[in-house]
Amino acid sequence: MRFIEARTLIVAGLGLTAASLYAMTGWTDQTGAREIVILSIIQGFGFGLVFVPLSTVAFLTLPNHLRTDGTSMLTLMRNVASSIGISIVIAQLTEGTRRVYAILSEHINPFNHAMQMPDVAGMIKMNTDGGRAMADVMVATQAQIIAFSHDYQLVMIFILCSIRSRS
């Protein structure tokens, strides 16, 4: 922070975080562990570039005798904001999964050409309990993947808006 302004570090950190979230929107059930680890490291580095300078700037002009109170207030505000953010994201994830599941399951019927293909019809026999259970698991998995992608997009948009408001 001696050589680079705190605002620049914060914007760079938010940019890295937004870029990692953008990449995460493309995750599927076939995404490898290596990609997940690399993007998690990039995202963690981005968060580090955000929170360290932010804390430093918060205490820059605060007199020494108020730093304990300032630390308490900053921690309180960070925890409350994190809790609200997590609640919103989890609510969106739950509702998104339910909504996407309903949309996807509408297409599981005997008239769907994909369901009539020999390899699919051989694997998912809709006239058996096991076939219906397998179809349900596949639809639920895809619904959750899509809902996670939407959540990553939502958080990415919030971050991009915060970058725009700082510029």
Side-chain angles (χ1 to χ4, degrees):
M1 289 194 37
R2 269 185 223 156
F3 306 107
I4 301 173
E5 185 183 1
R7 187 176 6 194
T8 305
L9 291 172
I10 292 170
V11 169
L14 290 172
L16 281 174
T17 304
S20 67
L21 286 166
Y22 177 76
M24 290 165 72
T25 62
W27 282 0
T28 67
D29 56 345
Q30 303 299 309
T31 302
R34 180 184 169 112
E35 183 179 350
I36 293 171
V37 168
I38 289 171
L39 285 173
S40 297
I41 290 169
I42 291 170
Q43 193 174 66
F45 188 71
F47 279 138
L49 285 176
V50 171
F51 288 112
V52 173
L54 201 58
S55 296
T56 303
V57 169
F59 294 110
L60 204 58
T61 60
L62 201 60
N64 286 341
H65 69 281
L66 293 177
R67 291 215 172 153
T68 304
D69 294 336
T71 302
S72 300
M73 286 304 294
L74 182 64
T75 302
L76 174 69
M77 297 313 294
R78 189 178 297 166
N79 287 341
V80 168
S82 294
S83 297
I84 291 170
I86 289 168
S87 297
I88 290 170
V89 168
I90 294 298
Q92 284 296 114
L93 179 65
T94 304
E95 176 59 22
T97 301
R98 186 203 57 76
R99 186 175 11 87
V100 173
Y101 180 88
I103 292 168
L104 291 177
S105 62
E106 288 175 358
H107 300 285
I108 305 293
N109 61 56
F111 306 109
N112 185 329
H113 294 294
M115 295 298 293
Q116 296 170 2
M117 295 173 67
D119 55 337
V120 175
M123 188 171 66
I124 303 174
K125 294 179 172 55
M126 294 303 288
N127 57 349
T128 67
D129 289 339
R132 287 189 296 273
M134 182 179 287
D136 181 62
V137 167
M138 292 173 77
V139 169
T141 300
Q142 293 305 313
Q144 205 159 39
I145 289 168
I146 293 168
F148 268 104
S149 177
H150 290 164
D151 267 12
Y152 296 144
Q153 288 174 358
L154 176 69
V155 176
M156 180 188 69
I157 289 168
F158 282 146
I159 288 173
L160 291 174
C161 289
S162 71
I163 289 173
R164 179 69 180 140
S165 69
R166 293 187 193 284
S167 306

